[in-house]
Amino acid sequence: MAKTLLLIVNPRAGRTRSMAPLFEAVSHFSEEGYLVSVRQTRHAGHAAEIVEEEGASFDRIVCCGGDGTLNEAVSGVMRLSDPPPLGYIPSGSTNDFAASLELSPDALQTAKRITASQGRALDVGSFNGRPFVYVASFGAFTRASYSAPQSIKNDLGHLAYILEGVRDLSTLRPYPASIAAGEEFFDGEFLFGAITNATSVGGLMKLQKERVVLDDGLFEMLLIPTPASAAGLQALIRSLVLQDFEGAGVIFRHVSSVSVHTPEGFPWTLDGEYGPGAEDVVIKNLPRRLTFLL
């Protein structure tokens, strides 16, 4: 009996809409004995719907798109009682999680890696019950992930996030919050917060590979309290430019869960996509919850 593979493609992701590289990937899947069924996403949330409705009847699922497409596919997979393993061909403008996985943007090369893989169980996150793959964040820079127009992200890629992030610096505002993480409690005002399981955060911040283990049941939590002075703000900007997250005024921890209370219910981003806020947010690491084809 032929093996079956469901390929979900976001045709709007990335810097080019050429399907030629994807044809090579599909040809490779077929040569490896897979009967490939291709579905294109038509609207936001469509990838999750496709996976939930059809995914259980396939041996493998592969999604092609950006981090948002992967987020949707994971959301759909987690609704299945016995999900097949999931592969990812990155074709977005930044592809943060793909960088953590060291996945090539070359569709054929990644397709070969997918068919050779036996699967690896990785952690995923839960944000008030909603799945996310690699990051939940709030505050400065998070707006850059979803406010840059898709056409600009397609043309400029990483530079689009940098430009949006710099614009955020001119409108910095404090976000009052009470944050419980492990045995610690942080209460005050923050410019930025991220609970992540990736080496790249929002296309702007980078964490060393040795600090991030994708299947250890722990998130990396980065908090930036509001500086008390102009000198503190200058030092903070310098730390961000140098990617130094050990300096004064920066909080970095490894945690399995985080609870955030805020009187405002400010917005978050989940895997680079807008997420509505809530006064109380509970973020949990779900250890080795999904099998990825890497």
Side-chain angles (χ1 to χ4, degrees):
M1 180 180 295
K3 299 173 290 186
T4 56
L5 186 149
L6 174 62
L7 177 61
I8 301 171
V9 180
N10 179 353
R12 294 170 298 282
R15 304 181 191 184
T16 174
R17 292 194 174 96
S18 172
M19 293 290 106
L22 198 56
F23 293 153
E24 294 181 340
V26 172
S27 176
H28 172 74
F29 290 143
S30 297
E31 291 171 357
E32 291 296 312
Y34 286 94
L35 181 62
V36 182
S37 297
V38 181
R39 305 286 186 270
Q40 291 191 50
T41 60
R42 305 296 183 187
H43 54 77
H46 196 197
E49 295 170 7
I50 294 170
V51 172
E52 185 176 16
E53 293 171 3
E54 305 183 44
S57 60
F58 288 84
D59 296 311
R60 295 190 173 196
I61 299 172
V62 177
C63 68
C64 179
D67 292 330
T69 305
L70 177 62
N71 175 279
E72 291 185 14
V74 167
S75 296
V77 168
M78 291 188 67
R79 297 170 192 167
L80 303 178
S81 58
D82 185 21
L86 176 66
Y88 177 39
I89 299 176
S91 65
S93 50
T94 298
N95 305 312
D96 277 326
F97 195 58
S100 300
L101 300 175
E102 299 182 334
L103 292 178
S104 170
D106 182 282
L108 178 57
Q109 182 176 333
T110 302
K112 291 180 178 179
R113 183 170 169 175
I114 287 171
T115 54
S117 173
Q118 298 301 309
R120 177 185 173 188
L122 299 184
D123 303 341
V124 294
S126 170
F127 178 95
N128 280 358
R130 174 180 170 179
F132 67 92
V133 182
Y134 73 95
V135 66
S137 61
F138 69 85
F141 310 117
T142 56
R143 186 174 63 85
S145 297
Y146 58 82
S147 63
Q150 185 63 50
S151 60
I152 299 299
K153 290 192 286 187
N154 290 348
D155 291 338
L156 300 181
H158 182 75
L159 179 59
Y161 293 87
I162 297 292
L163 294 175
E164 287 292 323
V166 169
R167 188 166 73 174
D168 266 354
L169 285 176
S170 66
T171 58
L172 286 176
R173 52 156 291 189
Y175 291 79
S178 299
I179 301 173
E183 300 298 320
E184 295 184 277
F185 185 79
F186 306 97
D187 187 40
E189 295 182 336
F190 303 87
L191 294 181
F192 174 79
I195 295 86
T196 178
N197 195 35
T199 58
S200 178
V201 180
L204 288 163
M205 297 184 178
K206 308 294 182 181
L207 299 175
Q208 292 91 341
K209 292 180 181 179
E210 59 270 18
R211 288 188 168 192
V212 180
V213 180
L214 302 180
D215 58 357
D216 62 351
L218 297 174
F219 290 123
E220 284 60 55
M221 182 184 74
L222 178 65
L223 300 175
I224 301 178
T226 303
S229 64
L233 178 58
Q234 290 179 346
L236 171 59
I237 294 174
R238 181 177 183 276
S239 294
L240 294 178
V241 171
L242 297 177
Q243 302 292 286
D244 176 16
F245 303 122
E246 297 290 352
V250 177
I251 299 169
F252 184 85
R253 300 287 190 274
H254 299 279
V255 296
S256 60
S257 64
V258 179
S259 297
V260 181
H261 174 76
T262 171
E264 300 181 21
F266 47 67
W268 292 66
T269 65
L270 303 179
D271 298 336
E273 302 296 323
Y274 175 81
E279 289 187 4
D280 292 289
V281 169
V282 177
I283 300 172
K284 297 180 180 180
N285 184 293
L286 307 178
R288 301 172 60 85
R289 181 63 177 270
L290 287 183
T291 301
F292 287 83
L293 299 166
L294 304 175

